[in-house]
């Protein structure tokens, strides 16, 4: 494995020279290392580049790591990963992506993930994206996530993109059966002339399904973000989405939340707020001895974490 | 020691809010500013902390003119200010804010001790965001704790610390002020309408219509204030109903 890859792995996943549990490390479009465990089987996808990850119902509080790294320009990595989560399993999936580009050509990772979450299963999906390097070539990460949640299943997604990614288009689609729960926390920071597009599309098809979608983003420099979410309540269900954005410098954000209630007992809420950092927040931190710049950095750091 | 000399402050539109205030706030003493709402007390606190700049007059700290220093510089010289209206933050936790105030990462027991002083059962609060999910009284007490966390503070300003605080927390607040007086050589300035805070004041200044109407030792000023209150003149806006 390249040293750049190891560095990226440390930043995007809990890599400390190794992983406890099942893992598969993808480096510039091929597999660098892999391990299955008795309850978590990882195989190559037969018909396309990518993985099939099978988590058996016996897996309880286990973790699987599937990070992907691109370490130079001229790589366009497209990968299809399928996750089959057995009924009642409890698993954490750590899926970071790091792109390093010192070259002139574009470096891109495009991960298409499909989750089939079994009845009563619980999945925590953690995804950290970042990019760096000195090259002029663009760094792109374009994840697509499709999730199908069976009765009583829970999928919690914590996604974090903290800078360096020049272009990103993030698409997440989900359908929920009865009693299923989808919780998404997205944190996104763009700067310079980066752009980020986020699209969520969720169908609540089963009684008492629940969606909670929280997006926190910061647009700095001349960066541009666009956010579109569509939550469809097709039965008795509860949906909540919250989109909060902070503008710094000349950053722009367009937010288009959409709710569709197709049933009398669908209860849907959307909250959105876009604006610069409240002046009084900066003033309060300055009275504690921080400079204006330090105050701004702390407020943004807390906002994206929270 | 902090000294205000002939401080004037006007709104951008020209209306004069603070109209020539002279005030000395001495180390190791508790000075209480009281007076009717709208009299200019918070404006004075903001002028001291550097949130506003006087249109005329000087502010001296230990003889040094600090009128031209900005908020950060004054904070670093030891001016601490608990806002009348606490600020909410989306994302920062109580622990984050206390760490920032202390200028270091506090041990859990240190952070808990600070919250204990303002009557909050600590552990429950440390990881809560300082946002709209806190009640008015809770955020007020956390605001006070951020000033107690400033161990290097030499001038501590509390703007109506009693507001929204229940009796039990109020008692621990009084204790905290007395402890500050005993154990720190700092100058303590509390803006308050509370009789029990006035009772422990070394000095009281009554501010109304942008001026110091009367000031002097607490033992002299308080009886006159209470007398005026009881005669139903209520000239000072003291509110004894809250506690
Ligand atoms: N930034 C401001 N803009 C407009 N009016 C202000 C501002 N700050 C203070 N004032 C006015 O100045 C007066 C004094 O306010 P303040 O200092 O908050 O009084 P106190 O704290 O004694 O109640 C009030 O009439 C208030 O409305
Ligand atoms: Mg006031």
């Amino acid at each position: 494995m390249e040293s750049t890859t190891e560095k990226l792995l440390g930043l995007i996943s809990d890599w400390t020279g190794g992983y406890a549990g099942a893992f598969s490390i993808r480096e510039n479009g091929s597999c660098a290392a892999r391990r299955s465990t008795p309850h978590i089987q990882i195989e190559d996808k037969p018909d396309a580049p990518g993985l099939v990850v099978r988590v058996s119902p016996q897996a309880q509080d286990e973790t699987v790591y599937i990070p992907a790294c691109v370490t130079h320009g001229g790589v366009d990595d497209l990968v299809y990963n399928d996750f089959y989560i057995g009924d009642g399993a409890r698993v954490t999936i750590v899926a970071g992506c790091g792109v390093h580009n010192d070259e002139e050509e574009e470096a891109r990772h495009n991960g298409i993930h499909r989750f089939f979450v079994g009845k009563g299963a619980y999945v925590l999906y953690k995804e950290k994206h970042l990019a760096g390097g000195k090259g002029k070539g663009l760094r792109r990460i374009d994840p697509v996530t499709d999730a199908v949640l069976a009765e009583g299943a829970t999928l919690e997604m914590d996604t974090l993109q903290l800078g360096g990614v020049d272009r990103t288009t993030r698409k997440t689609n989900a359908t929920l059966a009865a009693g299923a729960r989808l919780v998404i926390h997205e944190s996104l920071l763009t700067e310079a002339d980066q752009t980020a597009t986020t699209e969520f599309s969720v169908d609540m098809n089963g009684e008492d399904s629940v969606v909670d979608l929280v997006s926190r983003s910061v647009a700095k420099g001349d960066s541009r973000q666009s956010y579109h979410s569509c939550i469809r309540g097709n039965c008795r269900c509860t949906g909540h989405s919250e989109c909060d954005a902070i503008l710094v410098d000349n950053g722009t954000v367009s937010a288009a939340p959409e709710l569709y209630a197709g049933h009398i007992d669908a209860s849907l809420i959307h909250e959105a707020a876009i604006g610069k950092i409240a002046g009084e927040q900066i003033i309060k931190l300055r009275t504690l001895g921080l400079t204006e710049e330090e105050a701004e950095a702390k407020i943004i750091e807390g906002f994206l974490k929270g | 020691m902090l000294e205000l000399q002939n401080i004037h402050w006007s709104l951008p539109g020209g209306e004069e809010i603070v109209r020539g205030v002279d005030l000395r706030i001495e180390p190791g003493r508790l000075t209480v500013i009281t007076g009717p709402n709208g009299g200019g007390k918070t404006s004075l606190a903001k002028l001291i902390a550097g949130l506003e700049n006087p249109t005329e007059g000087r502010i001296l700290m230990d003889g040094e003119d600090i009128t031209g220093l900005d908020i950060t510089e004054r904070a670093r010289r030891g001016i601490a200010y608990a806002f009348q209206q606490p600020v909410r933050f989306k994302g920062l936790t109580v622990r984050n804010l206390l760490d920032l105030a202390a200028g270091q990462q506090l041990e859990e027991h240190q952070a808990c001790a600070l919250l204990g002083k303002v009557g909050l059962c600590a552990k429950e609060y440390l990881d809560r965001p300082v946002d709209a999910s806190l009640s008015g009284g809770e955020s007020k007490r956390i605001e006070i704790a951020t000033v107690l966390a400033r161990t290097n503070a030499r001038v501590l300003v509390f703007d109506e610390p009693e507001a929204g605080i229940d009796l039990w927390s109020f008692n621990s607040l009084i204790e905290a002020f007395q402890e500050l007086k005993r154990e720190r050589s700092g100058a303590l300035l509390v803006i308050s309408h509370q009789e029990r805070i006035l009772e422990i004041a070394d000095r009281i200044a009554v501010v109304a219509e942008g001026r110091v109407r009367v000031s002097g030792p607490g033992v002299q000023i308080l009886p006159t204030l209470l007398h005026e209150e009881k005669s139903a003149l209520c000239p000072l806006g003291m509110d004894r109903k809250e506690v």
Side-chain angles (χ1 to χ4, degrees):
Chain A
M1 212 164 13
E2 295 178 22
S3 63
T4 309
T5 304
E6 291 218 40
K7 245 184 245 154
L8 288 171
L9 291 177
L11 294 169
I12 59 171
S13 60
D14 315 321
W15 174 261
T16 49
Y19 291 120
F23 66 87
S24 181
I25 301 170
R26 189 172 177 89
E27 179 184 51
N28 296 319
S30 49
C31 177
R34 177 179 301 170
R35 177 170 67 211
S36 292
T37 58
H39 300 153
I40 301 177
Q41 295 292 317
I42 308 177
E43 287 155 22
D44 279 326
K45 204 171 157 71
D47 51 343
L51 307 172
V52 177
V53 178
R54 286 177 208 282
V55 177
S56 77
Q58 284 81 39
Q60 294 297 318
D61 300 316
E62 293 188 33
T63 301
V64 52
Y65 299 85
I66 48 140
C69 298
V70 173
T71 61
H72 51 81
V75 173
D76 186 359
D77 183 22
L78 172 65
V79 61
Y80 297 86
N81 293 334
D82 290 347
F83 300 84
Y84 294 91
I85 315 295
D87 294 352
R90 290 182 62 86
V91 67
T92 298
I93 300 168
V94 181
C97 176
V99 173
H100 184 89
N101 190 356
D102 285 332
E103 283 79 25
E104 302 294 306
E105 309 96 281
E106 184 168 294
R108 179 171 187 232
H109 177 80
N110 183 0
I112 297 169
H113 290 175
R114 292 196 300 169
F115 294 90
F116 302 93
V117 187
K119 287 180 189 162
Y122 169 85
V123 177
L124 171 60
Y125 175 78
K126 297 205 286 186
E127 177 194 271
K128 215 187 262 185
H129 285 174
L130 64 87
K134 296 186 290 285
K136 286 212 191 84
L138 292 180
R139 297 145 196 88
R140 302 186 61 128
I141 302 181
D142 298 312
V144 177
T145 305
D146 289 317
V148 179
L149 278 66
E151 286 79 12
T154 297
L155 173 60
E156 280 184 28
M157 300 177 69
D158 281 343
T159 69
L160 192 65
Q161 179 185 305
L162 297 183
V165 181
D166 296 303
R167 302 281 178 272
T168 187
T169 302
R170 316 162 52 80
K171 290 187 184 157
T172 305
N173 307 301
T175 56
L176 279 69
R181 214 165 63 90
L182 174 67
V183 180
I184 299 181
H185 277 263
E186 176 191 65
S187 298
L188 183 65
L189 171 82
T190 54
E191 50 202 350
D193 57 359
Q194 298 166 358
T195 63
T197 301
T198 300
E199 279 178 38
F200 289 106
S201 172
V202 181
D203 272 286
M204 287 187 280
N205 294 335
E207 297 268 288
D208 300 322
S209 49
V210 176
V211 168
D212 190 12
L213 180 56
V214 177
S215 166
R216 293 262 173 106
S217 74
V218 176
K220 286 190 181 182
D222 294 312
S223 67
R224 282 156 291 148
Q225 298 182 6
S226 97
Y227 171 97
H228 177 219
S229 66
C230 181
I231 296 181
R232 281 174 294 271
N234 303 316
C235 54
R236 187 178 72 204
C237 62
T238 311
H240 169 245
S241 87
E242 186 184 319
C243 166
D244 255 318
I246 289 182
L247 302 176
V248 184
D249 315 315
N250 302 313
T252 64
V253 172
S254 127
E258 186 183 337
L259 300 174
Y260 167 77
H263 189 277
I264 183 78
D265 288 321
S267 159
L268 308 174
I269 296 174
H270 178 75
E271 301 169 75
I274 304 177
K276 63 173 189 279
I277 297 176
E280 56 170 25
Q281 295 184 342
I282 296 203
I283 288 173
K284 172 62 195 174
L285 296 193
R286 290 184 67 200
T287 66
L288 301 180
L290 281 72
T291 62
E292 191 163 345
E293 294 71 32
E294 289 166 346
E296 186 183 296
K298 285 289 172 195
I299 291 163
I300 287 176
E301 185 190 313
F303 174 76
L304 289 173
K305 256 192 218 152
Chain B
M1 182 174 61
L2 191 81
E3 209 176 336
L4 307 190
Q5 293 182 344
N6 188 32
I7 292 293
H8 289 257
W9 178 62
S10 302
L11 296 175
E15 189 192 344
E16 194 170 49
I17 303 296
V18 178
R19 304 171 180 177
V21 167
D22 292 285
L23 204 63
R24 290 154 73 97
I25 298 153
E26 298 185 18
R29 296 272 182 87
L30 169 58
T31 302
V32 176
I33 295 183
T34 191
N37 286 330
K41 303 180 296 299
T42 295
S43 303
L44 280 176
K46 289 182 175 174
L47 287 159
I48 291 170
L51 278 65
E52 302 291 353
N53 291 306
T55 33
E56 206 184 315
R58 300 198 306 165
I59 302 176
L60 305 180
M61 192 167 171
D62 298 330
E64 184 199 358
D65 190 342
I66 60 162
T67 323
L69 299 187
D70 69 19
I71 302 172
T72 307
E73 290 164 330
R74 290 192 207 192
R76 290 182 177 176
R77 303 237 171 166
I79 293 182
Y81 173 33
F83 291 19
Q84 180 172 7
Q85 307 279 2
V87 177
R88 318 255 184 174
F89 295 87
K90 246 181 195 169
L92 288 184
T93 62
V94 172
R95 190 196 294 262
N96 293 150
L97 211 53
L98 292 177
D99 285 351
L100 290 174
Q104 64 176 89
Q105 225 165 338
L106 294 172
E107 304 277 332
E108 184 157 307
H109 72 90
Q110 293 174 306
C112 284
L114 286 169
L115 293 177
K117 284 186 187 169
V118 291
L120 288 179
C121 182
K123 280 229 168 101
E124 291 168 27
Y125 283 94
L126 281 181
D127 293 316
R128 282 188 60 179
V130 187
D131 63 11
S133 69
L134 294 171
S135 76
E138 286 167 336
S139 65
K140 187 79 191 180
R141 281 180 270 176
I142 287 156
E143 174 68 11
I144 294 165
T146 64
V147 167
L148 300 181
R150 303 270 313 275
T151 39
N152 63 346
R154 294 193 294 139
V155 176
L156 298 96
V157 183
F158 297 89
D159 197 347
E160 298 201 24
E162 70 266 22
I165 288 187
D166 59 86
L167 183 59
W168 192 74
S169 306
F170 186 74
N171 287 335
S172 47
L173 193 65
I174 296 271
E175 251 169 63
F177 288 149
Q178 276 168 331
E179 190 186 307
L180 280 177
K181 244 177 70 171
R182 271 198 314 274
E183 292 171 13
R184 291 204 204 162
S185 50
L188 212 51
L189 175 64
V190 179
I191 295 170
S192 177
H193 298 291
Q194 255 304 319
E195 194 175 327
R196 285 189 49 208
I197 292 181
L198 289 160
E199 277 167 2
I200 60 166
D202 296 303
R203 295 191 67 83
I204 295 175
V206 179
V207 170
E209 291 171 344
R211 294 191 180 89
V212 177
R213 234 183 56 178
V214 51
S215 75
V219 284
Q220 277 177 24
I221 305 286
L222 185 57
T224 10
L225 290 183
L226 293 177
H227 177 74
E228 289 183 50
E229 271 301 282
K230 287 202 182 99
S231 333
L233 299 170
C234 292
L236 306 173
M238 281 175 54
D239 185 359
R240 277 172 291 143
K241 276 163 275 163
E242 276 179 30
V243 170

